[in-house]
Amino acid sequence: MIEAIIFDMGGVAIDSEDLWAEAYRRQLAKRGLEVPTTASYHRFVNTHYRGRNQRHAIMMMQRLYGITAPYHLLYRERVKFLLSIFDKRLRLIPGIRGLLQKTSRRYPLALASSSPHAVIQYVLKRYD
């Protein structure tokens, strides 16, 4: 018996995967580093990051590219890049709003995400 439904945020409720890739590319480009294509970024993510949090992702980027900036600086920078991209290009996954409205009449709903708290709050506020 279903008692509640948990939706993942990124890639399920919002169309954000390419936007994360853009934030990553901007972070590398800021340091004059090679900027991967979207396809190579997604292969890289699937190999090294999928299911992990930003701490792991940033530490991996530091190790792979020899970036010596402190983690907390890189974290804030990535969130800032991402939210500026979200302002212009973030979209809900087609049909998600209707699905959430329909299922919320029958089941309690929750949103899950490994995104930074500021990103989750931005999405919740923007899309109510």
Side-chain angles (χ1 to χ4, degrees), residues 19-20 23-24 26-27 54-55 58 71-87 114-122:
L19 307 183
W20 276 102
Y24 184 82
R26 285 184 187 184
Q27 208 164 20
Q54 284 303 301
R55 181 166 194 75
I58 290 170
Y71 164 80
H72 67 278
L73 172 80
L74 296 170
Y75 178 89
R76 284 195 309 265
E77 180 181 84
R78 182 170 296 179
V79 169
K80 182 179 176 184
F81 281 139
L82 184 67
L83 293 180
S84 84
I85 295 164
F86 274 17
D87 280 341
S114 62
S115 292
H117 187 68
V119 173
I120 295 167
Q121 291 303 313
Y122 174 92

Side-chain angles (χ1 to χ4, degrees), residues 23-55:
Y24 184 82
R25 285 194 299 270
R26 285 184 187 184
Q27 208 164 20
L28 292 177
K30 178 179 178 178
R31 289 162 177 79
L33 297 168
E34 180 182 340
V35 179
T37 65
T38 297
S40 66
Y41 170 81
H42 286 299
R43 280 192 305 276
F44 177 75
V45 164
N46 287 334
T47 302
H48 299 288
Y49 293 164
R50 186 72 58 210
R52 303 222 166 108
N53 63 27
Q54 284 303 301
R55 181 166 194 75

